[in-house]
Amino acid sequence: MAKLKEADLAYTNDLPGAERGNPSYFENEVIDHLLGIVLELGAQFWVLRDRQAFLEEQLAAKGVVSLEDLEHGTPSDELQAKLKAERLAMIQQVYGRLYSTYGGDKAGPTSAPMS
Amino acid sequence: MSIQDALFPRGKIAGVYPTLTTRGDEAYVEFIEDARNVLMHAQQRPIGEYSQQLMTDAGIADSPDPETTQAAIDLLMQDPTLKTYYRVKRSLQEAFWSGLSKSLNQRRDEIVAAFDAAEAAGPGTVEYDDNWRENAPEYASREIHIQPGGYVKDELAGPFYDYGLKVFLGGAADHDRLAKGVSMATAVPDDGQVSRILDLGVSAGATTIALKEKYPDAEVWGIDISAPMVRYAHVRAMEAGAEIHLRQMAAEELDFPDNHFDAVLAMLLFHELPVPVAKEAIAEVFRVLRPGGKFTVLDFPSVRSRGVYSMFFAEMDAADNGEPYLPDYVRSNVEDLLVEAGFELEHYDPKAALTRGRVVVKPAA
């Protein structure tokens, strides 16, 4: 079988996406930054909310909690299910309006379609 | 340090994935996964309809040719809502990789040491080039999905990829459900003889393991161009108790005899290959399959079943999500490449391209 030479694939260096890059979607890149910032703040808020709920569960069950438990433990399956529902609702409420132009704020969550 | 302590110190996530280092790391990634579910996956249909309407109003034909696709990009990426959608998609991707790598990098040395220790242990075997990083071909070194370090140059590429698949598919791959479905879809010869199976581009090895579970008496081999991937897949196989044989190998240079395998699978491989490489890989599969053997290709649908919006989406994914070979793959109509190589096309339904795939058979000599 003829082996491909490096030159045969040199064109791939210029394909869109060959380099990671740092794309801007808006003429004013500050808007790009702001959208990234509000998503990051949402994620950081959620980390705190998750920790608070886990802390409350631990305290209710044991009356005392260690830092080790909070850092490396895992909430009960029941609490994780409750937190997932809360998380989905929060994301939809806070960010769904970004897509209200076409009614996307009312679209329920779904996993990736495999078709 | 044991694999358990290095990879799963807090138990496994969704049955198979490495544990993140702290509960906080996990909560961060859970937010990203659900943000993708609400702000990406759930939008796919309505934002598609919205985009179609914009194109109809602008008089853009529903043709996937490159010129029309570029006209669609020029039009749609002027729309504030669509700019927002693609900005959010990119930001979530960047945040995911940042959160995941920050978490797993805290245990990097322990995880790599556990991979090293696992190499001599079974069931199954793993082999790779000692100079894997230096010898990685340029075309395979892209940061696919903007994964830091890509698939071939970072020792933790395996767990990064594995957890990435979980999040990108919104949980659809959890508990290896996707891999089990793929093993069911993998076609075998009509005579029912399945002695050897080859899985091309195994990445984390989930499909290879599922194939061994479905065909326990068969010899199951998996190859990947990435040494870090086969090292991780070996650990995954050990955890599953699956005797599979993993080799770092390029699909376009298979180190197997002619007519050696009864069935070959390529799950989501071809859209990660430049077309010239894909053609050589297909020729190699034709060589190593025995007459009557079947080759199953599970991957995205070809251009002939796509309209302009679908091609627009592929072009955007290429540029923003590190999928440089996706548009050319789509336009190559891989089922045609398979037939040109000598295969007979047995099945292809574009609507089930990812679940049933293209199935081709090597004709009797």
Side-chain angles (χ1 to χ4, degrees), chain A residues 4-67:
Chain A
L4 287 168
K5 298 181 177 64
E6 209 167 295
D8 296 328
L9 298 174
Y11 78 96
T12 65
N13 294 327
D14 300 323
L15 291 173
E19 296 295 329
R20 181 189 185 89
N22 187 23
S24 239
Y25 299 83
F26 293 88
E27 288 74 16
N28 183 345
E29 68 178 43
V30 171
I31 301 175
D32 285 88
H33 291 314
L34 287 173
L35 278 166
I37 288 166
V38 295
L39 287 165
E40 179 67 18
L41 285 174
Q44 295 295 348
F45 162 80
W46 183 258
V47 171
L48 289 174
R49 169 67 191 121
D50 183 273
R51 189 173 175 107
Q52 178 200 31
F54 186 31
L55 173 65
E56 289 169 354
E57 182 181 60
Q58 293 283 302
L59 287 175
K62 300 191 287 193
V64 63
V65 63
S66 71
L67 196 56

Side-chain angles (χ1 to χ4, degrees), chain A residues 1-4, chain B residues 137 139-140 198-202 222-226 247-256 261 264-270 272-274 276-288 295:
Chain A
M1 184 186 69
K3 294 287 180 291
L4 287 168
Chain B
Y139 86 81
L198 174 63
D199 188 3
L200 298 177
V202 300
I223 64 116
D224 199 289
I225 201 162
S226 162
R247 298 290 182 269
Q248 183 201 358
M249 199 184 291
E252 66 273 24
E253 291 181 54
L254 295 177
D255 188 16
F256 295 110
F261 290 99
V264 180
L265 166 70
M267 165 68 174
L268 291 174
L269 170 67
F270 277 91
E272 309 293 17
L273 301 178
V277 175
K279 287 180 177 175
E280 297 220 339
I282 289 169
E284 279 291 81
V285 174
F286 191 84
R287 181 181 65 77
V288 302
F295 182 24

Side-chain angles (χ1 to χ4, degrees), chain B residues 190-260:
Chain B
D190 291 340
D191 61 18
Q193 294 284 343
V194 186
S195 302
R196 293 192 199 94
I197 303 175
L198 174 63
D199 188 3
L200 298 177
V202 300
S203 56
T207 55
T208 330
I209 294 164
L211 284 167
K212 181 64 183 177
E213 287 170 350
K214 180 161 171 53
Y215 299 100
D217 297 331
E219 198 177 275
V220 177
W221 291 77
I223 64 116
D224 199 289
I225 201 162
S226 162
M229 288 289 186
V230 293
R231 271 160 61 81
Y232 176 65
H234 178 63
V235 170
R236 272 274 229 138
M238 284 175 63
E239 284 295 298
E243 186 186 358
I244 60 175
H245 304 285
L246 296 153
R247 298 290 182 269
Q248 183 201 358
M249 199 184 291
E252 66 273 24
E253 291 181 54
L254 295 177
D255 188 16
F256 295 110
D258 295 357
N259 307 316
H260 193 63

Side-chain angles (χ1 to χ4, degrees), chain B residues 171-195:
Chain B
D174 288 2
H175 302 280
D176 280 348
R177 281 190 295 262
L178 178 65
K180 290 182 173 76
V182 169
S183 73
M184 301 298 286
T186 302
V188 296
D190 291 340
D191 61 18
Q193 294 284 343
V194 186
S195 302

Side-chain angles (χ1 to χ4, degrees), chain A residues 15-17, chain B residues 89 144-145 268-275 299-303 306 310-333 354:
Chain A
L15 291 173
Chain B
K89 183 178 177 186
I144 302 291
H145 300 158
L268 291 174
L269 170 67
F270 277 91
H271 77 276
E272 309 293 17
L273 301 178
V275 171
D299 215 313
F300 299 109
S302 300
V303 69
R306 290 177 181 245
S310 180
M311 272 317 296
F312 158 81
F313 200 83
E315 295 280 4
M316 291 300 294
D317 208 42
D320 297 346
N321 192 31
E323 289 282 15
Y325 311 129
L326 175 62
D328 282 354
Y329 154 79
V330 171
R331 293 189 190 286
S332 76
N333 291 313
L354 285 171

Side-chain angles (χ1 to χ4, degrees), chain A residues 1-2 11-13 17 20-21 23 25 27 32 40 50 71-74 84 87 99 101-102 104 108 110 114, chain B residues 10 21-23 28 30 34 37 39 41-43 81 83 87 90 142 146 169 252 276 280 318 320 324 355:
Chain A
M1 184 186 69
Y11 78 96
T12 65
N13 294 327
R20 181 189 185 89
Y25 299 83
E27 288 74 16
D32 285 88
E40 179 67 18
D50 183 273
E71 288 281 311
H72 299 114
T74 302
K84 182 170 180 71
R87 190 165 63 235
Y99 305 134
T101 309
Y102 63 85
T110 178
M114 287 302 288
Chain B
R10 300 174 47 249
T21 304
T22 68
R23 174 61 201 163
Y28 183 90
E30 286 173 349
D34 279 333
N37 283 336
L39 304 175
H41 301 320
Q43 304 303 321
T81 300
K83 289 181 188 182
R87 175 70 262 171
R90 174 76 183 206
R142 316 295 181 197
I146 64 170
L169 296 182
E252 66 273 24
E280 297 220 339
D320 297 346
T355 50

Side-chain angles (χ1 to χ4, degrees), chain B residues 104-148:
Chain B
L104 292 186
N105 280 341
Q106 292 175 53
R107 314 200 311 266
R108 175 174 285 270
D109 292 347
E110 293 94 320
I111 293 171
V112 172
F115 287 173
D116 290 342
E119 268 175 24
T125 59
V126 61
E127 288 179 11
Y128 59 93
D129 176 1
D130 287 340
N131 297 315
W132 52 271
R133 191 179 273 119
E134 295 76 14
N135 291 339
E138 187 67 22
Y139 86 81
S141 304
R142 316 295 181 197
E143 290 191 316
I144 302 291
H145 300 158
I146 64 170
Q147 177 175 322

